[in-house]
């Protein structure tokens, strides 16, 4: 079944939208219909991947007016299927980042913060680079290295913290993104030494403690928000 047809099936399975976004109940009906389809005996025999299907459906729904909320539920469903597998490293990281970005677009910043924090934890232990991973049986691909992925992630986290008014955390994520970019642009010997140092720091401290900031007032807040938005663009 083509993705266009799957999108049609999803939309048609929901009650009348009446010109507005679907309710949570309507979205769950659509999700249920797709889940039954992708977990059917025929789909299993054909080697279909429920997680890959829901990721692709989520990406398609992002482009549809008023259906980005449904896209989030598709990504959540994909994560549910991925959790049943022992090895889902970069696939899980990609979905977590994607759902976090969609939440940012919808101004659901608290949710975005949680998704992106979980993504950062997955990235720490994911092997190799996302560009070398077989993502969703080839249905999705990226040319990013581990470090490039981490830079993008840190910029998104900075953007979220800025919107939530946490200037200290926003500055920390911006600084981390800049540090990673410098590592990516250094020579091979410098990168290896810096990566070893960074890994040692993470092992010793776990997560970075929130530091104090000298910046205060509306001007500082605007600077953070501007820097984060520019970085995420």
């Amino acid at each position: 079944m083509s993705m266009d047809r799957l999108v049609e099936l999803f939309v048609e399975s929901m009650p009348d939208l009446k010109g507005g976004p679907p309710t949570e109940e309507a979205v769950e009906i659509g999700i249920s219909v797709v889940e039954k389809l992708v977990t059917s005996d025929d789909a299993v025999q054909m080697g279909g991947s429920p997680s890959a299907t829901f990721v692709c459906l989520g990406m398609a729904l992002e482009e549809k007016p008023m259906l980005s909320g449904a896209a989030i539920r598709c990504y959540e469903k994909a994560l549910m299927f991925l959790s049943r597998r022992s090895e889902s490293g970069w696939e899980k990281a990609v979905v977590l980042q994607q759902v976090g970005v969609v939440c940012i677009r919808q101004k659901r910043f608290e949710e975005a913060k949680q998704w992106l924090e979980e993504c950062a934890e997955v990235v720490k232990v994911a092997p190799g680079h996302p560009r070398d991973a077989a993502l969703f049986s080839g249905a999705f691909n990226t040319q990013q290295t581990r470090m490039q992925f981490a830079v993008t992630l840190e910029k998104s986290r900075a953007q979220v913290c800025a919107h939530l008014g946490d200037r200290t955390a926003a500055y920390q994520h911006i600084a981390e993104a800049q540090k990673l970019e410098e590592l990516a642009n250094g020579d091979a010997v410098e990168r290896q030494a810096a990566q070893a140092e960074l890994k040692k720091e993470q092992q010793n401290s776990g997560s970075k403690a929130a530091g104090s900031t000298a910046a205060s007032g509306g001007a500082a807040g605007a600077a953070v928000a501007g820097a984060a938005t520019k970085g995420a663009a």
Side-chain angles (χ1 to χ4, degrees):
M1 180 182 295
S2 70
M3 185 50 58
D4 287 342
R5 177 59 189 136
L6 190 62
V7 171
E8 289 178 5
L9 178 64
F10 179 83
V11 174
E12 290 170 358
S13 66
M14 293 189 291
D16 186 10
L17 300 181
K18 298 180 180 179
T23 63
E24 291 183 6
E25 292 78 6
V27 171
E28 291 306 316
I29 292 173
I31 292 289
S32 178
V33 169
V34 174
E35 183 174 6
K36 289 178 181 178
L37 178 66
V38 299
T39 58
S40 66
D41 291 340
D42 288 343
V44 172
Q45 291 174 4
M46 293 177 64
S49 168
S51 58
T53 300
F54 274 110
V55 167
C56 292
L57 179 59
M59 294 176 68
L61 293 179
E62 281 187 50
E63 306 300 322
K64 304 294 182 182
M66 298 179 291
L67 290 179
S68 55
I72 291 176
R73 280 297 293 129
C74 287
Y75 292 136
E76 290 174 342
K77 205 68 177 179
L79 289 168
M80 184 197 77
F81 283 106
L82 286 173
S83 68
R84 300 175 182 177
R85 293 165 44 187
S86 58
E87 297 181 2
S88 58
W90 285 112
E91 288 181 324
K92 186 175 182 180
V94 166
V95 179
L96 287 167
Q97 183 191 52
Q98 192 66 20
V99 70
V101 169
V102 177
C103 284
I104 292 175
R105 292 174 188 160
Q106 291 198 3
K107 303 186 185 305
R108 296 162 62 169
F109 299 118
E110 288 290 353
E111 293 177 59
K113 181 180 179 180
Q114 294 176 7
W115 290 120
L116 296 175
E117 284 178 351
E118 186 176 352
C119 180
E121 293 302 313
V122 173
V123 170
K124 288 180 182 179
V125 297
H129 300 278
R131 68 183 181 188
D132 299 327
L135 301 174
F136 307 108
S137 303
F140 182 90
N141 64 78
T142 176
Q143 296 303 310
Q144 286 185 316
T145 64
R146 165 187 291 275
M147 210 164 291
Q148 289 170 333
F149 186 96
V151 168
T152 302
L153 175 61
E154 288 301 314
K155 289 179 178 179
S156 294
R157 296 179 74 186
Q159 185 179 6
V160 168
C161 290
H163 281 294
L164 291 175
D166 190 343
R167 296 191 296 273
T168 298
Y171 277 123
Q172 289 174 340
H173 290 305
I174 291 173
E176 184 68 13
Q178 292 173 340
K179 181 178 181 179
L180 291 171
E181 284 183 321
E182 290 173 359
L183 291 177
N185 293 330
D187 64 38
V189 175
E190 290 175 341
R191 281 201 304 272
Q192 187 174 7
Q195 284 176 323
E197 180 183 353
L198 183 60
K199 185 176 181 180
K200 184 177 180 181
E201 289 176 1
Q202 291 174 339
Q203 291 174 340
N204 290 338
S205 62
S207 58
K208 293 184 178 180
S212 59
T213 178
S216 61
V224 175
T229 303
K230 181 179 179 182

